[in-house]
Amino acid sequence: MIKIPSTFPSPPAWTPDHPIVRVSQVYKSFGETQVLKGVSMSVMKGEAVCIVGPSGSGKSTLLRTINALVPIDAGSVVVEGQEVCDPELDKLQLRRKVGMVFQQYNLFPHMTALQNVMIAPIKVLGQDKAEVEARARALLRKVRLEDKADRHPGELSGGQQQRVAIARSLAMTPDIMLFDEVTAALDPETVKEVLVTIRELAEEGMTCLLVTHEMGFAREVADHVYFTDHGVIVEHAPPAQFFGEAKDPRTRAFLSQVL
Amino acid sequence: MKKLSALALLFAFCACLPGEAFAADGGRPSILGALWKWAPLLLSGFAFNLLISVLAMALGTVLGAVLGLGLVAPSSGLRRTSHAATQFFRNAPWLVLLFFCMYLMPFEFVVGGAVVPFPGWVKAVIGFALPVMANTAEIVRGAVQSIPPAQWEAAESLSFTRRQTLWMVILPQCVKRMLPSWMNLYSLVTMATSLASVVGVSEMLTLTADALAAEGGRTDLMAPFYGFVLFCFFVYCYPIGVWTRRLEARYAVK
Ligand SMILES: Nc1ncnc2c1ncn2[C@@H]1O[C@H](COP(=O)(O)OP(=O)(O)OP(=O)(O)O)[C@@H](O)[C@H]1O
Ligand SMILES: [Mg+2]
């Protein structure tokens, strides 16, 4: 475990020329299984980073360490200059800056799409209801679902649900968005509409970390691609280099399977 | 379907009436005459059964909701204590709990010099509320655990506290899932209230025995009178069962 300076609550102000997310030598085990074995990565503000790798290699776990959903055993995760594994860290404060969308069962099924988008800003941030509603409707328009505002998740397609989930995370005005295989459970036809939404976000300068199996998307949108296998980062590179001239045999074996 | 079953039961009830049921014979009133005479009292007894069941259910549900939240609490001490209490009351025979409450609790309290009576039927309400509590707690636990973990994670990653997640996201989804089992439990409690006759609460079964005694213990009245009791319980509980199954079917699809 890294030593956290006692002056921690007032960290050196983070500036955009430093990585907005820096993961260093992170270890994590669930019981006997070692899931992360010394993972490091860094992401600059406005970058879109894709994490690819075989099933069970620890991609979701890595993503979850960034918003403290998974506590780590050793190493350090720094988000905007804040040490995430500082026991005194206000996790709720951190999660306001880091939005996350999951593979499935994201939306609250007992609320309409609009209510899903509105609840966190109202209940967590204590913002004014009318102002939040205006913003929520604008976000639903942004993901092209303004006409579905009053539908419940059960009445929406998987792709529409994922777009509402993205709008819901954006309603908290995060600085970083995490996406964990958000298209993995979708029909091929609806995958595209979700990817278009994410791509627009990345192009607007949102910092995005995506775990994905969509290699075409990674190639076109990512600034950087990381390949994980058995809890380590085997290789990382800009997409052209990653897909064109991967060095490690494990990366090449993986790519030959998925491409 | 419902009407048909009720008719069938009524038919079975009439079939057990002997031939002279409809005719007065000498000084003795006919069976139906006797039933007619006593029906208001018996029905008032049934109303008492329902009162006991509703109060026991209300008390048991409130306690059970608290206990159920204990079963899913993050603190392992709280979880273990709740688990022990739940298992204890779930595996106790209802009649034994009833006796236990009857004879453990005083028949009156002294509050600041004034004597407050503590009647048997209130003890019966408490006696029935205990198993309701334990069963409700299990229903709450089952419902909370049936919600996909991603719902917790989604709420957590939106910066909800654990308490906010529970009250705004998890429990509202649980209500629907709990309703069928909870209604089923209510039917069981209603039927179980007749056990209170064993400890002398003047509910319907007790009053029926009293009425039969007042009629001089006529054996020809026994089956019709107890048949009437069965009929009342059936007419009340059967629709609840139908409704429960309908809710189950509706929520199973989602
Ligand atoms: N909460 C947990 N408790 C126990 N084991 C876990 C937990 N979460 C993950 N694991 C285990 O850790 C390993 C890595 O899981 P992780 O979900 O990070 O993999 P992944 O790369 O995201 O895989 P996939 O592509 O299938 O989603 C798996 O073997 C998994 O069984
Ligand atoms: Mg995963």
Side-chain angles (χ1 to χ4, degrees):
Chain A
M1 186 62 87
I2 59 117
K3 275 275 169 281
I4 295 148
S6 53
T7 54
F8 184 73
S10 48
W14 172 79
T15 50
D17 51 334
H18 290 90
I20 191 166
V21 175
R22 200 179 63 228
V23 176
S24 329
Q25 287 302 309
V26 165
Y27 287 81
K28 173 69 190 178
S29 304
F30 291 108
E32 294 290 286
T33 32
Q34 272 206 314
V35 178
L36 299 178
K37 306 171 196 167
V39 170
S40 304
M41 69 189 295
S42 65
V43 181
M44 299 301 287
K45 186 170 172 55
E47 268 190 327
V49 166
C50 284
I51 304 166
V52 302
S55 182
S57 58
K59 307 182 296 293
S60 301
T61 308
L62 171 59
L63 216 53
R64 276 155 212 246
T65 62
I66 294 169
N67 66 348
L69 277 184
V70 168
I72 61 176
D73 299 337
S76 118
V77 176
V78 179
V79 174
E80 290 189 3
Q82 285 240 316
E83 178 57 62
V84 169
C85 58
D86 175 12
E88 302 200 343
L89 168 88
D90 182 356
K91 284 187 189 153
L92 302 183
Q93 196 64 43
L94 167 76
R95 288 173 188 155
R96 286 171 202 180
K97 291 187 289 197
V98 185
M100 184 158 187
V101 184
F102 300 85
Q103 180 173 343
Q104 251 178 323
Y105 305 118
N106 271 297
L107 295 181
F108 306 139
H110 56 298
M111 302 177 194
T112 63
L114 186 67
Q115 288 166 341
N116 263 284
V117 179
M118 289 171 62
I119 184 164
I122 292 174
K123 300 292 182 186
V124 173
L125 302 180
Q127 293 175 344
D128 174 63
K129 202 172 166 204
E131 186 239 327
V132 171
E133 178 167 350
R135 201 168 75 228
R137 287 192 188 279
L139 283 168
L140 286 176
R141 196 172 317 123
K142 183 183 166 76
V143 298
R144 298 179 196 83
L145 287 172
E146 65 265 44
D147 53 328
K148 305 284 190 214
D150 298 320
R151 297 294 177 83
H152 280 81
E155 302 169 291
L156 301 177
S157 74
Q160 291 169 336
Q161 289 184 35
Q162 288 301 52
R163 285 184 284 153
V164 175
I166 294 171
R168 183 177 66 178
S169 282
L170 292 176
M172 295 289 280
T173 54
D175 298 337
I176 301 159
M177 285 287 290
L178 310 176
F179 298 91
D180 190 359
E181 295 191 33
V182 295
T183 57
L186 302 181
D187 307 330
E189 312 92 74
T190 53
V191 166
K192 199 161 162 249
E193 64 191 42
V194 177
L195 292 182
V196 165
T197 303
I198 298 175
R199 178 182 200 142
E200 284 172 0
L201 264 183
E203 280 165 1
E204 286 165 17
M206 173 66 78
T207 309
C208 295
L209 273 81
L210 302 104
V211 170
T212 186
H213 288 153
E214 301 290 333
M215 296 302 150
F217 180 81
R219 192 199 295 261
E220 284 172 38
V221 178
D223 296 303
H224 215 82
V225 183
Y226 284 79
F227 173 67
T228 58
D229 192 22
H230 290 99
V232 294
I233 288 179
V234 173
E235 186 160 5
H236 64 95
Q241 191 184 337
F242 181 85
F243 290 104
E245 47 204 88
K247 293 187 198 75
D248 197 282
R250 282 171 290 180
T251 318
R252 286 207 294 267
F254 174 76
L255 288 177
S256 69
Q257 270 175 15
V258 295
L259 289 180
Chain B
M1 180 60 204
K2 188 163 80 188
K3 281 191 192 116
L4 204 71
S5 311
L7 272 180
L9 197 86
L10 191 63
F11 182 75
F13 170 58
C14 290
C16 70
L17 300 175
E20 72 274 26
F22 302 94
D25 155 29
R28 303 195 320 174
S30 69
I31 291 175
L32 279 186
L35 198 52
W36 182 252
K37 186 174 102 191
W38 290 104
L41 182 72
L42 300 188
L43 287 174
S44 77
F46 187 56
F48 198 34
N49 283 81
L50 299 189
L51 179 71
I52 293 174
S53 70
V54 168
L55 293 178
M57 199 65 190
L59 180 63
T61 300
V62 171
L63 297 176
V66 174
L67 191 59
L69 292 182
L71 289 176
V72 295
S75 138
S76 72
L78 192 55
R79 253 194 339 257
R80 252 178 254 142
T81 316
S82 311
H83 180 77
T86 307
Q87 290 309 319
F88 180 77
F89 287 112
R90 243 165 79 88
N91 294 298
W94 292 26
L95 188 56
V96 179
L97 282 177
L98 195 59
F99 271 111
F100 186 72
C101 285
M102 283 292 161
Y103 301 116
L104 182 82
M105 296 180 180
F107 62 94
E108 57 187 27
F109 284 114
V110 180
V111 183
V115 175
V116 181
F118 196 47
W121 70 270
V122 178
K123 294 185 205 172
V125 165
I126 296 171
F128 290 123
L130 292 174
V132 170
M133 169 185 80
N135 284 285
T136 304
E138 271 298 300
I139 294 172
V140 170
R141 186 196 56 78
V144 168
Q145 291 182 347
S146 73
I147 305 291
Q151 291 279 308
W152 285 94
E153 292 188 321
E156 255 182 284
S157 65
L158 285 169
S159 235
F160 281 64
T161 60
R162 193 188 149 83
R163 174 173 301 213
Q164 284 174 324
T165 306
L166 196 61
W167 287 95
M168 295 176 192
V169 176
I170 304 299
L171 292 180
Q173 297 182 54
C174 288
V175 172
K176 265 190 189 177
R177 293 170 195 234
M178 292 188 302
L179 207 53
S181 334
W182 186 80
M183 283 167 57
N184 196 29
L185 181 61
Y186 177 62
S187 283
L188 291 177
V189 173
T190 307
M191 291 186 258
T193 53
S194 58
L195 292 175
S197 73
V198 182
V199 289
V201 175
S202 48
E203 48 70 69
M204 190 181 203
L205 201 58
T206 310
L207 293 181
T208 307
D210 291 351
L212 286 169
E215 286 291 336
R218 275 170 58 185
T219 47
D220 60 327
L221 291 183
M222 302 249 175
F225 271 54
Y226 286 116
F228 180 63
V229 178
L230 279 179
F231 179 73
C232 289
F233 275 95
F234 178 82
V235 164
Y236 186 75
C237 292
Y238 182 70
I240 297 178
V242 172
W243 192 24
T244 305
R245 278 192 296 282
R246 214 172 279 168
L247 284 180
E248 259 169 2
R250 166 136 41 107
Y251 298 148
V253 195
K254 290 207 173 174

